[in-house]
Amino acid sequence: MTARKDSPARSGTDSLREDKRALRRRLLDARKARGDDARAAATEALTRHALALAEGVEGPICCYLPVGPEPGAAGSGTSTVPDALLAAGHEVLAPIVPAEPGPLDWTRYEGPDALAAGKLGVREPGGRRLGTAAIARAGLVLVPALAVDVHGHRIGRGGGYYDRTLPAVPAPTPLAVLLHDDELIDLVPAGELDVTVAQVIVPTRGAVAVRNNG
């Protein structure tokens, strides 16, 4: 029987998808296993580093709203990274998940009291939508991820929203990912459509440049 011509490509895609799924499970399990004190200490350090990176930035800062075990989420005695940026006087834009798969919309973040239930069980600001192009005027973009490798490849939760969004960010604008120290790893399985980042922010080292291969 003659093999279908698309079998190798399909096999490669399936293998990449499974590699990503396995890595996500491992990374999510590791995050859930972190104690409250460790999370709070990480958020305190990440907040300090993020504020240093944002100092002197012109334009708004696009930043996801971290929750639960995500780096930068609120802990015992700590606020979230976006709350700290807001308190420091920065204009913070938060992402809005679209009804259909596509680039993220954006709106101004005005604090936790202004949040309402959104898509995917995530609380979102209820303010006026600024459109998907709002990210193009950002001075800094803080991107979520479960891990980033030394080449700048990131792995998220699999929705693909940021991979559809980040191509709209002008090249000079820094893209940074908040991570725990052990989430900067040697290799993330990546495909052609996966967007790379130029730096990560980790608690012990602050902002770390990674080899961004575009």
Side-chain angles (χ1 to χ4, degrees):
M1 180 180 293
T2 302
R4 288 177 49 133
K5 292 183 179 180
D6 61 348
S7 294
R10 187 172 64 250
S11 176
T13 299
D14 290 344
S15 177
L16 176 61
R17 189 179 297 117
E18 182 53 40
D19 287 346
K20 287 185 175 184
R21 271 198 293 260
L23 180 58
R24 283 192 189 99
R25 285 194 296 267
R26 180 170 65 81
L27 293 166
L28 287 168
D29 287 345
R31 281 191 176 178
K32 291 176 183 176
R34 295 180 190 276
D36 292 342
D37 290 345
R39 292 178 187 176
T43 291
E44 182 178 5
L46 289 170
T47 297
R48 185 171 64 253
H49 298 317
L51 288 172
L53 186 62
E55 188 173 353
V57 164
E58 296 184 3
I61 298 173
C62 287
C63 182
Y64 69 104
L65 304 182
V67 296
E70 290 184 299
S76 176
T78 65
S79 62
T80 67
V81 166
D83 285 329
L85 291 168
L86 192 66
H90 294 283
E91 180 185 7
V92 179
L93 304 186
I96 302 295
V97 177
E100 299 294 335
L104 295 162
D105 201 342
W106 298 90
T107 189
R108 287 184 177 84
Y109 177 63
E110 297 180 347
D113 293 338
L115 298 179
K119 301 285 184 183
L120 307 179
V122 177
R123 290 173 62 79
E124 298 174 336
R128 180 173 64 89
R129 303 296 188 259
L130 303 176
T132 59
I135 195 172
R137 63 183 183 87
L140 170 66
V141 181
L142 296 178
V143 184
L146 296 173
V148 173
D149 71 14
V150 294
H151 305 289
H153 296 119
R154 59 176 286 277
I155 183 168
R157 291 178 176 267
Y161 293 103
Y162 274 89
D163 287 321
R164 299 183 186 99
T165 300
L166 295 178
V169 179
T173 304
L175 303 177
V177 175
L178 302 175
L179 294 176
H180 297 293
D181 289 294
D182 57 359
E183 293 170 343
L184 175 56
I185 62 179
D186 291 334
L187 181 65
V188 166
E192 293 181 359
L193 299 180
D194 294 323
V195 177
T196 58
V197 296
Q199 58 188 323
V200 301
I201 304 173
V202 293
T204 60
R205 300 168 62 190
V208 177
V210 288
R211 297 194 297 275
N212 188 329
N213 295 329

